[in-house]
Amino acid sequence: MSAAAATASDLERYMLELVNEERTSRGLNALVLDKTLNASADAHSTWMLNNNVFSHTGVGGSTPTERMVDVGFDLSGTWRTAENIAAQSERGEPGLFDDVYDLHLALMNSPGHRANILMPDLEVVGIGIQTGNFAYDTGTYFSVMATQNFAMTGGRTTPDIATASPNSEQNQTDPSNERSDVLVGTATAENLVGTAQDDTITGSGGNDILSGEGGDDTAVYIGDASNYGITISNGSIIIEDRTGRDGTDTLNSIETLQFRDTTFALDLFTNVSTLTDADMLAFSELYVAYFNRAPDAAGLLYWGSRLADGMSMDDIAREFFDQPETQALYGTTGGTAQFVTAVYSNILGRDPDDVGFAYWVDTLNSGAVDRAEFIVAMLGGAKASTGSASDAQYLETKAEIGAYFAVINGLNNVQVANTAMQAFDGSMGSVAQAKGIIDTFAASTDTAQGSEFTISVTGLVEDALDWV
């Protein structure tokens, strides 16, 4: 048995910060770097690079535990060990801190590796990060290789304690550093401010303020998207983790959200807050007319943002008509009479009157409007001074139901969106029934973990259905 020890590098201490943020945000103890385990981890990363091997089986066919013991780690009394390994070719901006962050995310997204990182009874860890050329199936690239050796023991340990985070110190003292930054907070409330470059920011618990500044910036959250709710308010973005682990954060100049199971292009949805109440209700009405249900929040706010960006209502209507859901609802093979009848039923909740039916059939057959334009034309006709007041009121109420579902409550469940809209038949009682369906589902979403990703907007159509 040979005794060995190694002091962790800046990159290895940074990976320790990432590991301990995951642990402490869940109420687990922080791990302490151990110099002997550092030596074991460094040696294995170097061996894998030198031999172009990626495996837990190391030099001489050794196991992780055998390698820890061989360098002198004291496994006495009650003990256990675990090992994680990860590798990737260098990518992104100059510098390796972003690559270490990528490796950490990959390990956390792998159930077995994640279980090792979050194993409750661990006490110490050794981290070995080495770089060099590594051959993949697609070619040979300069790569970052990481080994994490975890342990708990009743024996002696050799702590490797640093008084400050080298990565944080570098960022504070080197204002000329222009690489993409990776900022990781603690479990307490903090104000994390990025750079003018593309930043990746993790709050790690607490009610944080995350500011991307310039560049294309990403906020990272550890849970599935279904645990989170977003509120857009006059350009300000609030995101709440309903499990409580990530707290409630305020986001400034953040373009992308990265959840455990998906990414969300936040910047495609936020311009909707610049619309007026009248614009939002008219747009909700269009959405309901084409899909015959309450809008899903993500869809309504995405297309609402395109409207705010300058895309015309007619162009959006054409996009709607080409969607599979619309095509399934109205069909493409039926005759003109069948199509007109279906539109009347879905939009106005009634059969066509003889005069209106004849007019629209002739209009379509003559080519004056095509089917994609027809629904928009019908909406305009129903709300015109020459139209029916009851039809106009019917459309406005459907638009309010849609806005209440998507804008105010931020819901996305299409089945509930259908159920709520189909409950409405034009009567006051049916409006109350539709609102009740939405309220019940919204209440369950607010209290349930993993129920539904929500995205709502304040300051728009806040009086929708307030008369019910």
Side-chain angles (χ1 to χ4, degrees), residues 109-128:
N109 287 330
S110 169
H113 298 99
R114 177 189 176 91
N116 285 341
I117 290 173
L118 300 180
M119 194 180 298
D121 54 359
L122 293 176
E123 300 169 337
V124 289
V125 63
I127 298 176

Side-chain angles (χ1 to χ4, degrees), residues 7 35 91 98 107 139 176 243 286 325 361 384 419 421 432 444:
T7 300
K35 293 180 181 179
R91 62 195 69 168
D98 55 339
L107 291 170
S176 65
T243 71
L286 181 75
E325 189 175 356
V361 168
T419 301
M421 192 58 69
S444 70

Side-chain angles (χ1 to χ4, degrees), residues 369-414:
V369 298
D370 61 22
R371 291 192 176 194
E373 299 169 323
F374 173 60
I375 295 176
V376 175
M378 263 207 66
L379 290 174
K383 294 185 296 181
S385 58
T386 56
S388 163
S390 60
D391 283 347
Q393 183 60 56
Y394 186 87
L395 288 171
E396 182 178 337
T397 304
K398 291 183 78 171
E400 285 198 38
I401 293 171
Y404 188 75
F405 182 89
V407 181
I408 294 177
N409 287 285
L411 301 173
N412 286 291
N413 188 297
V414 174

